[in-house]
Amino acid sequence: MALLQISEPGGKPAAPIHHRAVGIDLGTTNSLVAASGGGSVESLPDADGLHLLPSAVHYRKNQDAVVGAAAKAAAVDDPENTILSVKRLLGKSHSEIVAQDSHSPYHFDDSRDDGAPAMVTAAGVKDPVAVSADILRVLRDRAEVCLAGELEGVVITVPAYFNDAQRQQTKAAASLAGLRVLRLLNEPTAAAVAYGLDSKDQGNVIVFDLGGGTFDVSLLSLRKGVFEVLATGGDTSLGGDDFDRVLSDWIAEAAACAETLNSSERIQLRYLANEVKHQLSVDPSVELSYGAWSGTIDARLFAELTQSLVDRTINTCRRVLRDAHLTVAEIDSIVLVGGATRMPVIRNAVSSFFAKAPLADIDPDKVVAIGAGIQADVLIGNKSADNFLLLDVNPLSLGIETMGELVEKIIPRNTTIPVAKAQEFTTFKDGQTGMSLHVVQGERELVSDCRSLARFELRAIPPMVAGAAKIRVTFQVDADGLLTVAAEELSTNSKAEIQIKPSYGLNAEAIEQMLESSRDNATADMESRSIKEAQLEATQLIDALASASKADGDLLNKEEATRIDAAVARLQSALSDGSSNQIHALCEELNHVSGDFAARRMDLHIGNALRGHLIDAADNSIEN
Amino acid sequence: MQQTKQNHFQLFKLSESFELDLALLAENYHQLQLEVHPDRFANAPEQGKMRAVQLSSYLNEAYDTLKSALKRAAYLLSLNKVDVEQVSQSDLSADLLMEQIQLHEALDELPMDDSALPVLENFKADVVTKLTSRERGFAEALQQGEFASAKQTFHEMQFLHKLLAEIDSGEERRLAY
């Protein structure tokens, strides 16, 4: 962790250390991990040489969770204890999950009323974050075997159209799995990186990404190493799964058993439909039987059955073009991503809409993980990034509730991130000391049609006459697409107390609790592992600070230097015999006392054009 | 280390005018973003990351302001100490107001299905033409230092932009996005 990653002009080049960083595609149906290990980025295999890990988790009483192909097979016999397509559950409430699949085999624990769905399994209550973490752990272990050592950082991909709650929960799952997240990267952007990084391609690229359970379209402009997303659109509840469902409904209808299926039969039928769908991507027609029934399905019938799903994908392409103010003729290439784009119905629809043959040179199942692996290499410092830049956007508008349950947009969709926007509010009653704000995400005009992200209570506003208080609320979306909100009363310069209540899923406390309990339950092996991680972090931090002080010691004042030295000494003495928690706490302390120094160093090194100017600007914008 | 604050034009090394080389703006924006983007500091301590987010957000905001003709116009007026928040009756010509009302009525009377799309398309072309001529007028007025006239033209541009947004949302409703 070189402090602020600034190369020292004229300094000795650092030894070429290869950091272990990976890209992870946490998919609805399958997940993958990719890394370079020094050479080109490739997906990593398990002990049997398999790259795709089915995103299925089977929970058993008093035994470890089974993840992958074995779990997928177990779903037929033990549907209520086997979680499939957990990605479709992330960031959603129980009622939304039921609305999206009325045949869900899981038993939900209704006593948890925080909106997050908790599934009762043989191994206890599991929510989507815990299930996702179980998948991530398997990928982490695989990567650590392949790369022969502990991971230093990961880039995890998410659908571009994931909302804030879905992103927060993905990140929470990664922390729960003991992974350090360098960045959440949008899947279509990752695919564009895999295609475009080493080529001299310029122009406008459409990435059409139809995965197992989610759909994204992104339009990027590629120019001299800069990947700028112009617009993105999608549907986080549309994917290959839906094609399976349509097909299995048709089979059930034809076999006249639609009313009598149990969970197990339903899953079996879904697997059959999935096989038939794959076969139809190769053969013009497929003969199949289910129970006593047998019949034939051909490409034309399949196209008819899935017409409305295909239309939805094309309609999204139309909207993305419109948002970017571009026409079909201005698109230079189309990249297909996701296993579901192997279906001829999709390929044909895409080629005919864009009047151009799409590219699928890189395995559509692997391309996202490969792109994420490339970005992980760049972010951790393995790969020079002098002219490489990803500029992504927020997929959904962010707004607040105003009078009459209307939404006032604060940050419109397709705004380049990171972005900060401030909005001023005032009190409407004399002596008013509190105010509540409701943050929503979505494009519709009515609050009830958008997704509720959080409710904020502003407290301790100094009592004044109505309209005199000026409360500035700053919305900050970071490079992971995650939102934070800060509030401040301007006329008295006092910070209003802010309380965040996420409307869906887990709040920070709940995640912290899960982390704590996972540490408590950890085996000796786990503890020694987390000690090693903490020691690694601490050593890197100390080294980085030492080289930073050597290079820019003149930026340190005496008092600051003393405080930093003391913190370093405390950390160093805890290194040999401290617990991981102690070491973490001391690292945090050191980060804290050296923070101003780090910021000054950064300002010094960001170039003349920005210096002074931006210090000023940044101080005015947030967190002052 | 505090220096005189640069305006957005100086930040992107461009001369302060309404007519802008958008390609050059983009290129200079990319250059600066390459230095401060949070991806450059993904492996840095918390404070460094936070700083990068702030600086990069600021650059995005500045770029967004100059990229859009309407925001650029407002920004140029504010650099010349013209308050664009205050709109008085005299800022808007009676003709323009009348025209607005008629256009709004015409929009409301259109059928709600996609048969209205070609009509909307024509409306849009018409508004864009008007807008282009206003933008030319704005650039000229500003160059001559005629701020009152520039301000009036700016408010007309605002009206036309609002109308464009309404046409857009009318189209989107009919396209069922």
Side-chain angles (χ1 to χ4, degrees), chain A residues 164-165 396-402 406-411 423 425 436-442 446-448 450-458 473-477 482-487 498-504:
Chain A
D164 192 75
L396 296 154
S397 300
L398 285 166
I400 50 155
E401 178 173 347
T402 61
L406 290 174
V407 179
E408 181 182 341
K409 282 183 186 164
I410 308 277
I411 301 175
Q423 187 96 351
F425 299 90
S436 67
L437 286 175
H438 184 197
V439 184
V440 297
Q441 194 166 30
L446 287 177
V447 167
S448 52
C450 290
R451 166 164 292 264
S452 169
L453 281 187
R455 288 176 190 277
F456 299 90
E457 297 288 334
L458 301 183
V473 178
T474 308
F475 298 78
Q476 170 83 68
V477 179
L482 296 173
L483 172 73
T484 50
V485 181
I498 200 160
Q499 206 177 54
I500 306 170
K501 282 188 201 148
S503 310
Y504 284 90

Side-chain angles (χ1 to χ4, degrees), chain A residues 5 180 385 606 613-614, chain B residues 6 35 39-40 43 58 60:
Chain A
Q5 295 173 299
R180 179 167 164 257
I606 53 176
H613 176 66
L614 281 182
Chain B
Q6 294 171 303
E35 294 190 49
D39 282 357
R40 290 294 206 224
N43 208 18
Y58 180 79
N60 280 333

Side-chain angles (χ1 to χ4, degrees), chain A residues 1 3 5 180 183 228 315 322 375 379 385-386 418 421 476 591 595 603 606 609 613-614 616-617 622, chain B residues 5-6 30 35 38-41 43 45 47-48 51 53-58 60-61 168 171-172 177:
Chain A
M1 197 201 310
L3 187 71
Q5 295 173 299
R180 179 167 164 257
R183 180 72 68 241
E228 187 171 1
N315 205 25
R322 189 186 158 81
Q375 176 71 344
L379 295 184
D386 287 347
K421 285 268 160 74
Q476 170 83 68
N591 263 326
D603 293 334
I606 53 176
H613 176 66
L614 281 182
D616 203 25
I622 29 174
Chain B
K5 188 166 171 171
Q6 294 171 303
H30 289 158
E35 294 190 49
D39 282 357
R40 290 294 206 224
F41 303 94
N43 208 18
Q47 286 86 349
R51 193 62 145 198
V53 170
Q54 291 170 352
L55 298 180
S56 181
S57 299
Y58 180 79
N60 280 333
E61 175 74 27
D168 267 344
E171 280 182 343
E172 282 180 17
Y177 287 147

Side-chain angles (χ1 to χ4, degrees), chain A residues 118-449:
Chain A
M119 291 160 281
V120 182
T121 75
V125 175
K126 301 284 173 187
D127 59 34
V129 172
V131 179
S132 305
D134 282 329
I135 299 168
L136 288 171
R137 268 189 211 104
V138 172
L139 294 172
R140 180 196 71 189
D141 292 347
R142 179 193 293 186
E144 293 189 341
V145 169
C146 291
L147 302 177
E150 281 164 26
L151 295 186
E152 291 167 65
V154 299
V155 169
I156 298 187
T157 60
V158 290
Y161 221 55
F162 250 17
N163 64 36
D164 192 75
Q166 292 166 310
R167 286 169 196 267
Q168 294 280 9
Q169 293 201 355
T170 303
K171 211 169 173 182
S175 330
L176 200 56
L179 294 168
R180 179 167 164 257
V181 180
L182 297 166
R183 180 72 68 241
L184 295 180
L185 179 62
N186 289 332
E187 286 160 10
T189 310
V193 168
Y195 268 95
L197 183 64
D198 297 315
S199 77
K200 295 281 167 284
D201 280 353
Q202 310 269 319
N204 299 318
V205 181
I206 281 273
V207 181
F208 183 103
D209 180 357
L210 187 63
T214 57
F215 173 60
D216 282 325
V217 178
S218 284
L219 205 178
L220 294 97
S221 149
L222 263 66
R223 211 162 149 268
K224 297 181 186 164
V226 179
F227 294 65
E228 187 171 1
V229 178
L230 302 178
T232 195
D235 188 335
T236 55
S237 300
L238 174 63
D241 281 3
D242 297 288
F243 290 75
D244 295 351
R245 186 168 306 142
V246 164
L247 196 49
S248 67
D249 286 351
W250 179 81
I251 299 170
E253 200 70 36
C257 64
E259 306 305 320
T260 60
L261 290 173
N262 64 29
S263 288
S264 205
E265 288 162 342
R266 214 174 280 286
I267 288 171
Q268 238 167 348
L269 190 58
R270 197 68 66 75
Y271 287 175
L272 171 68
N274 183 264
E275 263 173 59
V276 171
K277 179 185 80 175
H278 287 177
Q279 201 59 39
L280 277 171
S281 294
V282 186
D283 298 325
S285 76
V286 175
E287 303 207 352
L288 68 156
S289 60
Y290 183 75
W293 173 86
S294 65
T296 310
I297 181 161
D298 61 9
R300 222 178 90 186
L301 178 56
F302 184 70
E304 264 171 45
L305 292 173
T306 57
Q307 183 71 50
S308 71
L309 296 173
V310 175
D311 286 350
R312 273 163 72 188
T313 67
I314 297 301
N315 205 25
T316 302
C317 294
R318 215 172 265 134
R319 174 174 150 169
V320 165
L321 282 174
R322 189 186 158 81
D323 279 355
H325 305 291
L326 290 176
T327 61
V328 162
E330 291 168 289
I331 300 304
D332 299 293
S333 43
I334 304 129
V335 170
L336 292 182
V337 183
T341 60
R342 290 203 176 88
M343 286 186 284
V345 285
I346 292 293
R347 292 199 173 200
N348 295 340
V350 172
S351 320
S352 92
F353 177 72
F354 289 103
K356 212 175 242 111
L359 298 172
D361 312 357
I362 307 180
D363 185 341
D365 281 323
K366 292 182 178 170
V367 62
V368 166
I370 290 171
I374 294 170
Q375 176 71 344
D377 258 352
V378 169
L379 295 184
I380 201 89
N382 285 339
K383 194 178 176 86
S384 141
D386 287 347
N387 289 304
F388 174 61
L389 180 65
L390 299 186
L391 295 167
D392 223 309
V393 299
N394 69 327
L396 296 154
S397 300
L398 285 166
I400 50 155
E401 178 173 347
T402 61
M403 299 285 225
E405 299 194 356
L406 290 174
V407 179
E408 181 182 341
K409 282 183 186 164
I410 308 277
I411 301 175
R413 71 168 184 267
N414 295 323
T415 302
T416 305
I417 54 171
V419 58
K421 285 268 160 74
Q423 187 96 351
E424 277 181 24
F425 299 90
T426 188
T427 47
F428 63 92
K429 268 197 236 155
D430 287 346
Q432 185 181 343
T433 57
M435 186 184 280
S436 67
L437 286 175
H438 184 197
V439 184
V440 297
Q441 194 166 30
E443 307 313 317
R444 308 280 295 274
E445 284 157 23
L446 287 177
V447 167
S448 52
D449 293 329

